[in-house]
Amino acid sequence: MPEYYIGLISGTSIDAIDTVLIGMKGDGKPEIISSLASPIEESIRVPLHALIKQGADATLGQLSKLDVMLGRLFAGAVQQLLKQAGLTGPQIKAIGSHGQTVFHQPEGGTPTSIQIGDPNLIAEITGITTVADFRRRDMAAGGQGAPMVPAFHQAVFHSDSEDRVVVNIGGIANITVLPKGGNQPVTGFDTGPGNTLMDLWTLKFLNQTMDRDGQFAEKGVVNNELLEQLLADNYFSRPAPKSTGREYFNLSWLLKNFGPTKTRPEDTQATLCELTAVSVMQAIKKSAPDTQRILVCGGGSHNPLLMSRMHKLGGDIIFDNTSMAGIDPDWVEAAAFAWLACKTLEGNSGNLPSVTGARSECVLGGIYQAGL
Ligand SMILES: Nc1ncnc2c1ncn2[C@@H]1O[C@H](COP(=O)(O)OP(=O)(O)O)[C@@H](O)[C@H]1O
Ligand SMILES: [Mg+2]
């Protein structure tokens, strides 16, 4: 019998709560048994966007209210998943809840990262032990607190015979470099924007939450002058470890970079799609020049224009998604947090210092025990 864990995440895109049930087999490999994407209704999405936009100026009232609302919503998503899978709370070893990032500031004198969705509520409502707050222990050890998924990528996507890179395209894009064999360290970092700028631009001009299938971008042409201007941001050339978020890559960042450039909205959209493709592929070429295969996951893997541009820019690199290694690209991140909860309960570390820059490996997160 596998041991069951549940992973919960609401990413930077705020498109949905992703909930997955994994079974951990004896070999330490996870298998996805059931999954669920619960849309985040407008009554939470709108104040959440407002909170994130305000960043350091948000009020404690806004923050604590959304912490409770999201905690309840996460617990409800778990209950729905259990029903779908025909399991009950006591059959689940633990939930790994990433939460919703509302503030991520890894640099400077007071580095911090805040994820909300109160784990006390999740544990109390579901009756399942909940592990949460995964990032801050790594930060306490001097790390970026991100990306946190590379240890999981290593466990499931590593190959003995080929050099691989996993590319996760959520709101922000991150890469995990997996050299073949087991001798070289795994590296990885946030490369910059994934879908977030494309989403924001589509919302502004079409009032839609995403550029479905890249249709808006397809109508435009890339403005090379604007692209160069955007790529000149020093985040892209900065060495790792590095991580970023919507606090940095947002509409203000984009508008600030326009300068005198005039473009049609669809040309800007095409340029933003190209920005994601070029910044990810440049990061791979620079930090992992021997890459033989790319495995893509995250919502951006559904954008055919983005995928075809990355594929083209990759030249001879074999281009795949994570399904080829057994995990559906939509569920990789949530599965990673279920897996990390397992690591924490076992007393094993979940961060990779070679990725985050932490001084040491750490057992991540706080444990909120199931009721008595
Ligand atoms: N069919 C599609 N066409 C274009 N973009 C898509 C499509 N499906 C998903 N996406 C993009 O993926 C995003 C969600 O990706 P996800 O991996 O869930 O990100 P996050 O981890 O930030 O929540 C959406 O906001 C959207 O930009
Ligand atoms: Mg999402």
Side-chain angles (χ1 to χ4, degrees):
M1 263 301 260
E3 281 188 333
Y4 296 123
Y5 288 84
I6 287 175
L8 256 178
I9 185 165
S10 163
T12 14
S13 303
I14 320 184
D15 56 322
I17 296 168
D18 299 335
T19 315
V20 309
L21 174 73
I22 65 166
M24 289 292 287
K25 296 175 283 180
D27 61 0
K29 297 254 181 198
E31 181 194 357
I32 294 187
I33 293 166
S34 193
S35 56
L36 183 76
S38 327
I40 302 179
E41 68 227 45
E42 220 165 303
S43 60
I44 294 189
R45 192 158 37 84
V46 171
L48 201 49
H49 271 295
L51 178 82
I52 292 169
K53 201 166 168 203
Q54 287 170 65
D57 296 325
T59 67
L60 283 174
Q62 286 172 291
L63 183 76
S64 50
K65 191 169 172 194
L66 281 165
D67 186 37
V68 172
M69 288 166 90
L70 278 170
R72 289 181 185 149
L73 207 62
F74 290 154
V78 168
Q79 288 173 322
Q80 212 182 326
L81 183 75
L82 288 176
K83 206 164 153 200
Q84 178 179 302
L87 292 173
T88 58
Q91 290 173 281
I92 310 299
K93 198 87 196 277
I95 295 167
S97 178
H98 172 271
Q100 172 68 56
T101 297
V102 292
F103 198 65
H104 182 69
Q105 187 77 266
E107 312 294 339
T110 52
T112 186
S113 188
I114 301 175
Q115 284 75 40
I116 60 170
D118 186 4
N120 293 286
L121 282 167
I122 304 173
E124 187 62 29
I125 295 169
T126 63
I128 302 170
T129 294
T130 301
V131 186
D133 194 9
F134 287 92
R135 297 189 186 273
R136 293 194 299 168
R137 186 58 181 270
D138 179 82
M139 292 182 115
Q144 291 275 318
M148 278 289 126
V149 285
F152 175 74
H153 291 167
Q154 179 184 26
V156 269
F157 301 131
H158 162 271
S159 156
D160 279 334
S161 57
E162 63 182 12
D163 288 309
R164 293 180 171 177
V165 169
V166 182
V167 184
N168 173 32
I169 309 180
I172 296 297
N174 62 275
I175 60 169
T176 304
V177 180
L178 300 171
K180 67 179 167 227
N183 298 328
Q184 287 163 271
V186 171
T187 55
F189 53 89
D190 288 350
T191 57
N195 301 299
T196 189
L197 297 172
M198 291 189 269
D199 284 357
L200 288 167
W201 198 250
T202 310
L203 190 65
K204 187 175 162 74
F205 281 93
L206 303 182
N207 201 26
Q208 288 163 15
T209 54
M210 72 163 87
D211 181 12
R212 191 166 288 283
D213 301 336
Q215 287 171 7
F216 185 27
E218 283 276 14
K219 293 199 183 96
V221 288
V222 173
N223 178 325
N224 283 314
E225 191 190 336
L226 176 60
L227 180 65
E228 290 308 314
Q229 218 155 321
L230 299 175
L231 283 168
D233 187 289
N234 81 6
Y235 183 83
F236 298 112
S237 49
R238 238 173 65 196
K242 59 179 176 177
S243 60
T244 189
R246 290 171 67 130
E247 303 73 23
Y248 190 74
F249 288 109
N250 53 34
L251 270 191
S252 318
W253 178 84
L254 178 61
L255 297 174
K256 179 183 86 190
N257 277 293
F258 264 123
T261 314
K262 289 257 181 301
T263 57
R264 298 179 304 159
E266 56 272 39
D267 294 344
T268 300
Q269 186 70 4
T271 308
L272 293 176
C273 184
E274 188 71 6
L275 173 70
T276 295
V278 171
S279 55
V280 169
M281 296 312 294
Q282 274 181 354
I284 293 173
K285 291 252 156 101
K286 206 163 137 194
S287 60
D290 298 328
T291 303
Q292 290 164 284
R293 187 189 298 268
I294 287 177
L295 299 177
V296 189
C297 58
S301 66
H302 298 295
N303 182 333
L305 178 63
L306 177 62
M307 290 302 99
S308 80
R309 289 300 302 142
M310 284 174 58
H311 193 170
K312 188 95 188 285
L313 291 164
D316 292 339
I317 303 175
I318 303 166
F319 202 78
D320 250 318
N321 71 43
T322 53
S323 304
M324 77 71 68
I327 309 244
D328 184 308
D330 286 333
W331 305 116
V332 173
E333 247 200 323
F337 284 94
W339 183 88
L340 283 168
C342 171
K343 293 283 132 195
T344 298
L345 288 195
E346 288 171 345
N348 288 319
S349 63
N351 63 333
L352 293 181
S354 55
V355 170
T356 64
R359 284 182 292 275
S360 56
E361 294 188 347
C362 309
V363 181
L364 303 174
I367 301 174
Y368 300 75
Q369 297 282 358
L372 299 174

